[in-house]
Amino acid sequence: MPTSSDMTTPTDPAVLDALQHQVAVFARRAEQSRLGGVGQARNSMDRAAYLLLNRLDQEGPMGVKALAAGMGIDSSTVTRQVAPLVESGLVSRATHPEDGRAVVLQLSERGRTRLGEVRASRRALMEMVTDEWTEEERAVFCTLLTRFNVSLAAVTATMPPAGAAS
């Protein structure tokens, strides 16, 4: 049985050029709009906070190291980003249930409420942007964008840091 690598065909450079251009345009537009939703909650939460809160909501309480590993970022970055979330009451620190010396981060009720508001705002924006799309087109785009992000994370994880000697 042929593998997926056996079935690949050479990629047209023009398609790769168009893809990298569209990704660059998307990145610029996403940064300009911050994809922060619509209405009162628009742009009320930065990307880092949203991703951290979302992860804690989806996966439950966890330590800084686990949170950092799951997000593909450094523990010191998570520590720095989570500090204002703890200060504002969106995240709480608790003792690990199995190891009383360890600390876990968890979404507070206030954080869960706030995340719900921001998700609803961002969901409304996605609905507006894809208003003329079919449900199938939305699903296919989401699948492909997820696949792209997973592939991008895998490739960039193997690359040396920017500015490092080759």
Side-chain angles (χ1 to χ4, degrees), residues 127-147:
E127 187 172 23
M128 288 172 58
V129 170
T130 62
D131 183 53
E132 295 181 11
W133 298 20
T134 66
E135 284 304 309
E136 182 181 4
E137 288 170 329
R138 286 176 174 154
V140 167
F141 181 71
C142 187
T143 298
L144 291 173
L145 188 56
T146 301
R147 184 175 173 190

Side-chain angles (χ1 to χ4, degrees), residues 155-166:
V155 167
T156 56
T158 64
M159 294 176 148
S166 305

Side-chain angles (χ1 to χ4, degrees), residues 70-133:
M71 297 180 70
I73 57 178
D74 188 81
S75 291
S76 63
T77 302
V78 168
T79 299
R80 188 175 59 255
Q81 290 175 347
V82 86
L85 300 176
V86 171
E87 230 175 82
S88 65
L90 300 177
V91 171
S92 60
R93 289 187 171 100
T95 311
H96 192 285
E98 296 166 13
D99 180 359
R101 299 167 298 165
V103 172
V104 292
L105 300 168
Q106 61 188 25
L107 194 59
S108 68
E109 278 309 309
R110 182 173 181 202
R112 193 172 318 285
T113 299
R114 187 77 186 92
L115 181 60
E117 294 166 355
V118 171
R119 274 186 184 148
S121 173
R122 291 177 177 208
R123 187 180 313 115
L125 176 61
M126 292 300 106
E127 187 172 23
M128 288 172 58
V129 170
T130 62
D131 183 53
E132 295 181 11
W133 298 20

Side-chain angles (χ1 to χ4, degrees), residues 29-48:
R29 290 210 170 109
E31 193 58 38
Q32 286 172 338
S33 70
R34 295 179 56 206
L35 292 179
V38 296
Q40 208 169 8
R42 180 173 189 262
N43 290 332
S44 63
M45 183 179 290
D46 68 35
R47 180 180 57 235

Side-chain angles (χ1 to χ4, degrees), residues 52-61 107 112 115 119:
L52 285 166
L53 294 179
N54 203 45
R55 187 119 184 133
L56 289 171
D57 184 49
Q58 291 177 347
E59 298 189 19
L107 194 59
R112 193 172 318 285
L115 181 60
R119 274 186 184 148

